[in-house]
Amino acid sequence: MLPRYTPGGYGEGMVAVAAHTHDVVIVGGGHNALVAAAYLARDGRSVAVLERLGHVGGAAVSERPWAGVDARLSRYSYLVSLLPRHVIDDLGLRVRLTRRRYSSYTPDPLHPDRGVLIDTADAQATADSFARVTGDPHEARRFADLSDRLGAAAAATFPSMTSPLPSAPEMRARWGDDGLWEALVEQPLGGLVRASVTSDIARGMVLTDGLIGTFAAADDPSLRQNRCFLYHVIGGGTGDWDVPVGGMGRVTSELERAARAAGAQILTAAPVTAISPDGEVHVGGDEPRVLHGRIVLSGVGPAVLADLLRAGEADAADSSAPVEGAQLKVNMLLRRLPRLRDAHVAPEAAFAGTFHVNETLSQLDSAAAAAQAGRVPDPLPAEIYCHSLSDPSILGDPLRATGAQTLTLFGLQVPHRLAAGRDPDAYRGELLSAAERSLDAVLGESLAGCLYEDAEGNPCIEARTTADLEVSLGMVAGDIFHGALSWPWAEPGETLETPSQRWGVATAHDRILLCGSGARRGGAVSGLGGHNAAMAVREILGA
């Protein structure tokens, strides 16, 4: 029998009572949970955060993957765009984000001795680069025009992310661009991409923002690629994706500090085993207990929450809706940056931003077709980043002095279904081999020859598949968004009567709210799920 709470505390065999142990109990200790905890504890609320792992942060952590090597990598999540400045200021977070000068480099897969380099500080160099690769002196202008249109939509949309949900007609009016609204919100993304730029390489550069962690073709009628695209282009009101100085772990450590300083109780190694609609939360582990919150916030995915509710003998929402991650994450440490085939671009420029690998529109759609047929795409579309160029602090001084650099690869169009029935190690190895082949096809030398080795002579490279994320982080099907992304506004006819509905954090149970990536405007390292849940709780319990 689990120990139960009484006003005198916890004890074996104590009688269950309905007293609240806390105003708010938060299930899961990811970054969104910490945001909610910090806001609500600062309000004077009693808050408990329950995390099954031995540390908080979820996917927003920094770790040293290789023993004896002083390289602290953002192991899962790695860039920040959607975290509002006012959340950082509200919570007093000592977090610094650095902007990358070079937005992207994209070698031509057919002629990798040339590529498009987008230099935010040199428009003419960017235009020359487009012309050299596409043979079209006007393609750079088309690309820039699309960026301007999207920028206006971003500036209109992003401020609403920390307010009650606006209506779709209200947001459409804010955009002031009916053509863009119809092309991005009502029709498959492929139409907008093809109408805006003409070259296969430029079309791919645009489309990739719709495929991060999302499995789809350009013309998928579900529009899931459109929703993913919108979230990627509205971040910060500019669409810029920045590097957190000190790594993603710095973001989590600051959120934990803010939550604890405000008085939140944070319990690690405290796995939740069941939740009831009346706010009763059962905790397992070495110290089983039951907490009872006036409100329960769920930082775990909706599919996991449904299982916990069923374990608590409650009706749970049907979790049969598709939940599927679609990515490969590879972390590497290099002795030096690889040489390029492109004599016009320095490696330090190419690797400083997003390096697109085999990501033309036709390649992305071919990869989707291959995966749909059950095959690992070859070539594997991927994006790589060198964070240590923007933030050398993630490397120890002696290691940095050798010229070593980190490299992060994010593979696209590898849905979780490909892992079904396969040995996890063999599947991971297959994806890693595909990623290395894809990279080697556009680099001037083999990646393997540039890898740093640990003290035992092992190359410093690790891969994380969707299956790995499911095991290590509890993300069902490795879905980094905890389910399908939704439009960041209320759909026609949607009920917005309660605070939880207005803030996009409602569940089927009044006292249980979403606060993680599964919230209406969740996804990525944004804190939006946590912020909006906290605002709803303020309304429910009184400011």
Side-chain angles (χ1 to χ4, degrees):
M1 178 178 177
L2 291 174
R4 305 299 294 268
Y5 176 82
T6 71
Y10 295 101
E12 190 65 40
M14 289 184 176
V15 178
V17 296
H20 301 297
T21 63
H22 298 81
D23 290 319
V24 182
V25 176
I26 305 179
V27 179
H31 84 281
N32 273 303
L34 297 174
V35 169
Y39 269 108
L40 294 171
R42 286 163 66 93
D43 288 347
R45 300 294 180 187
S46 57
V47 179
V49 178
L50 305 170
E51 169 55 50
R52 73 178 180 90
L53 298 177
H55 59 81
V56 294
V61 295
S62 296
E63 296 177 357
R64 291 182 173 87
W66 304 291
V69 179
D70 193 9
R72 190 168 178 80
L73 279 65
S74 298
R75 201 168 198 179
Y76 302 106
S77 300
Y78 44 92
L79 293 171
V80 174
S81 175
L82 289 158
L83 178 61
R85 183 73 237 178
H86 82 79
V87 171
I88 295 174
D89 294 339
D90 284 351
L91 302 182
L93 306 180
R94 299 187 291 257
V95 171
R96 184 162 64 92
L97 306 176
T98 184
R99 181 87 16 110
R100 301 174 296 173
R101 169 180 170 175
Y102 298 99
S103 176
S104 67
Y105 174 69
T106 310
D108 182 344
L110 298 178
H111 304 281
D113 58 340
R114 62 194 187 196
V116 176
L117 179 69
I118 297 182
D119 183 348
T120 62
D122 192 335
Q124 187 57 55
T126 298
D128 292 344
S129 180
F130 267 103
R132 185 166 55 250
V133 173
T134 67
D136 185 342
H138 304 296
E139 187 74 327
R141 183 67 261 164
R142 297 188 195 101
F143 190 90
D145 287 344
L146 175 60
S147 297
D148 289 343
R149 292 182 75 190
L150 294 171
T157 306
F158 189 68
S160 75
M161 301 293 273
T162 50
S163 299
L165 286 165
S167 68
E170 179 184 356
M171 186 55 67
R172 180 171 182 158
R174 290 185 193 179
W175 281 22
D177 186 338
D178 286 346
L180 181 62
W181 180 274
E182 292 167 5
L184 181 50
V185 179
E186 300 176 357
Q187 300 294 326
L189 181 60
L192 174 65
V193 173
R194 295 185 187 93
S196 301
V197 289
T198 61
S199 62
D200 196 25
I201 192 168
R203 287 171 173 173
M205 291 161 60
V206 177
L207 179 60
T208 53
D209 278 337
L211 303 177
I212 302 299
T214 301
F215 180 58
D219 300 310
D220 194 307
S222 73
L223 306 188
R224 56 178 172 262
Q225 73 279 21
N226 296 48
R227 294 188 290 274
C228 181
F229 182 82
L230 181 64
Y231 278 82
H232 277 86
V233 301
I234 65 172
T238 64
D240 290 302
W241 286 78
D242 299 331
V243 176
V245 175
M248 197 60 75
R250 175 69 179 181
V251 177
T252 286
S253 65
E254 277 298 291
L255 286 169
E256 181 180 10
R257 179 192 61 77
R260 289 188 184 277
Q265 180 185 17
I266 299 177
L267 303 175
T268 56
V272 172
T273 58
I275 300 172
S276 66
D278 68 353
E280 189 174 87
V281 180
H282 291 252
V283 185
D286 294 335
E287 298 183 38
R289 70 196 78 181
V290 175
L291 304 186
H292 201 286
R294 296 173 67 189
I295 297 291
V296 175
L297 299 184
S298 173
V300 299
V304 176
L305 173 61
D307 288 341
L308 293 174
L309 285 166
R310 279 189 283 269
E313 300 182 353
D315 291 333
D318 182 7
S319 60
S320 62
V323 178
E324 183 176 42
Q327 71 281 328
L328 167 72
K329 176 81 186 302
V330 181
N331 295 314
M332 296 167 268
L333 181 66
L334 308 180
R335 293 184 291 106
R336 57 174 174 77
L337 294 176
R339 293 191 300 272
L340 303 177
R341 301 190 189 190
D342 188 345
H344 292 90
V345 178
E348 291 76 13
F351 288 98
T354 302
F355 190 127
H356 296 285
V357 180
N358 289 312
E359 287 188 331
T360 66
L361 185 147
S362 60
Q363 287 178 312
L364 290 166
D365 273 359
S366 293
Q372 189 69 46
R375 304 189 305 273
V376 172
D378 194 2
L380 179 72
E383 303 182 355
I384 53 179
Y385 316 80
C386 178
H387 294 156
S388 52
L389 286 172
S390 298
D391 177 24
S393 73
I394 62 176
L395 302 178
D397 290 341
L399 182 60
R400 189 163 64 243
T402 69
Q405 302 284 358
T406 64
L407 204 64
T408 292
L409 178 143
F410 193 92
L412 277 59
Q413 304 293 45
V414 281
H416 185 65
R417 69 192 72 172
L418 295 179
R422 303 198 192 195
D423 175 79
D425 293 335
Y427 177 60
R428 188 185 309 110
E430 183 179 358
L431 290 188
L432 184 55
S433 294
E436 290 178 328
R437 284 196 306 275
S438 190
L439 275 175
D440 286 348
V442 299
L443 296 177
E445 60 181 319
S446 172
L447 177 70
C450 298
L451 290 172
Y452 196 92
E453 295 181 347
D454 65 18
E456 298 181 356
N458 299 312
C460 292
I461 182 170
E462 65 162 16
R464 289 288 182 269
T465 68
T466 53
D468 293 325
L469 294 190
E470 187 169 57
V471 172
S472 63
L473 298 180
M475 289 181 173
V476 174
D479 192 333
I480 59 177
F481 302 130
H482 291 185
L485 290 168
S486 56
W487 296 117
W489 48 73
E491 301 287 1
E494 184 174 352
T495 300
L496 299 177
E497 296 177 353
T498 68
S500 59
Q501 291 169 340
R502 288 194 296 273
W503 285 96
V505 296
T507 72
H509 303 284
D510 292 342
R511 295 175 60 177
I512 301 174
L513 279 57
L514 301 175
C515 78
S517 289
R520 275 292 293 269
R521 291 169 286 191
V525 178
S526 68
L528 293 171
H531 172 277
N532 294 339
M535 299 305 106
V537 172
R538 281 181 174 177
E539 291 190 29
I540 294 169
L541 299 184

